[in-house]
Amino acid sequence: MGEVGEAVCAGVRLVATAAGDLLARIETPLAEALVSVRRAQVLAYRPRGCAEDLLFVGSRAAFRPGRERMGGVPLCWPWFGVDPDGGPIHGFARTADWRLLDCAPQSDGAVRLRLVPESGALAAWPHPCALLLEIRIGATLGLTLETRNEADHPWTLTQGLHTYLRIGASDRVRLHGLDGRCYLDKARGAPVAPCRQQGPVSAGGEEVNRIYLDAPGPLWLDDPVLGRRIRVRARGSRTWVVWNPGATEIHRFADDLAPEDARRFLCVETVNTASETLNLAPGAASRIGADYQIETL
């Protein structure tokens, strides 16, 4: 849809990069944002009047054909985490090529983009399906990932929005809304025994990697360094993943993350995984989404 360099709808312009990415630059009276069309990945979002971006992108992260870019909101689909059959971690949607299906201004001043995988991008997936990502850029950021089963048989699905939130300092932020909820502590290694959260979630120098179960939210992240609160509301999900590699594990991601990056983000991920694995009947659809809002502390 649209040509590179032209406005595809009010406030949205496509820009090609030397590395081969195609970016949608969005500027409206409500917000500005940057979306990688090739990866269906929101890279930046900032409401008007906010000093700092909502999202974090790794200092060394770049567009690479067939590779993920750590930062923003990568998609995890059609599985979340490790594939037991040996496929890429978190699936292949975030490394597949996507295209812009359409773009439209909304009545409240927001703009909506809808993206779908390029023809052939789902060839490796044995179950016929349709996949669509809707992004709504307004006073809040809204994302919805829809999967429709077009096969004549059911199949299982896990998925997620792997959101990297920008923070002032990892040891200063507190994530609220999960007090009393059970979680699986993946940082401890196997076997993973259920734990129970007490008070807000905090992150320090060690890795935090937790799957919170049966937690409808909403969540809110208080950041005294940046002087703001980020509210996250999930749709189609009651499972959250909270992740930060900490100073102890960030070396594993050196292609995308510099050592000092560990203090500058916290992943708060809206997911269907663990006890919330989905079984899609023929003709059925799954929708998972999240809305993000920045407030002043």
Side-chain angles (χ1 to χ4, degrees):
M1 172 186 172
E3 298 295 332
V4 174
E6 76 173 21
V8 293
C9 72
V12 181
R13 185 174 299 274
L14 297 180
V15 179
T17 73
D21 202 358
L22 181 64
L23 303 175
R25 296 192 180 277
I26 301 155
E27 294 188 11
T28 77
L30 296 178
E32 59 184 45
L34 184 67
V35 176
S36 167
V37 174
R38 289 277 185 263
R39 293 293 179 263
Q41 183 175 2
V42 182
L43 298 174
Y45 165 79
R46 186 168 62 89
R48 298 298 182 189
C50 289
E52 294 282 347
D53 202 283
L54 170 76
L55 303 172
F56 170 86
V57 176
S59 299
R60 300 169 179 169
F63 176 82
R64 306 176 184 99
R67 290 279 307 277
E68 66 175 283
R69 177 198 272 134
M70 297 187 73
V73 191
L75 303 178
C76 301
W77 185 99
W79 57 82
F80 183 91
V82 177
D83 177 25
D85 296 324
I89 187 169
H90 291 321
F92 53 84
R94 61 182 182 167
T95 59
D97 286 334
W98 291 62
R99 64 182 176 86
L100 184 61
L101 178 65
D102 59 43
C103 171
Q106 305 297 285
S107 59
D108 62 354
V111 63
R112 186 204 67 203
L113 291 77
R114 298 195 305 162
L115 300 97
V116 293
E118 289 278 14
S119 176
L122 303 181
W125 184 239
H127 310 296
C129 64
L131 188 61
L132 181 144
L133 177 68
E134 181 173 294
I135 304 169
R136 197 173 190 279
I137 307 291
T140 61
L141 171 66
L143 294 94
T144 305
L145 180 64
E146 177 181 307
T147 305
R148 185 170 297 277
N149 182 3
E150 297 184 340
D152 59 1
H153 57 271
W155 44 273
T156 59
L157 171 71
T158 58
Q159 59 186 343
L161 305 173
H162 197 304
T163 306
Y164 290 70
L165 297 178
R166 179 184 295 272
I167 59 176
S170 59
D171 58 346
R172 298 284 306 279
V173 298
R174 297 293 182 268
L175 180 65
H176 300 266
L178 294 169
D179 186 25
R181 299 294 177 175
C182 288
Y183 67 89
L184 305 177
D185 192 345
K186 304 288 285 185
R188 293 188 179 183
V192 180
C195 305
R196 190 172 296 276
Q197 181 66 38
Q198 296 183 4
V201 182
S202 58
E206 296 185 351
E207 180 184 20
V208 175
N209 189 358
R210 300 175 181 178
I211 302 175
Y212 286 87
L213 308 172
D214 193 26
L219 308 187
W220 62 99
L221 181 70
D222 285 347
D223 186 342
V225 176
L226 297 185
R228 69 184 189 179
R229 171 175 292 160
I230 299 173
R231 293 193 183 272
V232 187
R233 294 175 174 83
R235 290 176 276 109
S237 166
R238 295 176 62 89
T239 306
W240 302 86
V241 170
V242 181
W243 178 68
N244 178 283
T248 57
E249 297 295 327
I250 197 166
H251 64 276
R252 294 164 46 200
F253 312 99
D255 285 350
D256 287 81
L257 302 176
E260 62 271 18
D261 285 349
R263 286 178 52 81
R264 298 169 55 208
F265 76 87
L266 185 69
C267 284
V268 179
E269 308 167 34
T270 306
V271 303
N272 300 131
T273 192
S275 60
E276 203 176 24
T277 298
L278 305 178
N279 188 55
L280 282 186
S286 161
R287 296 176 186 86
I288 186 172
D291 300 299
Y292 307 87
Q293 181 176 2
I294 299 176
E295 302 173 355
T296 301
L297 268 183

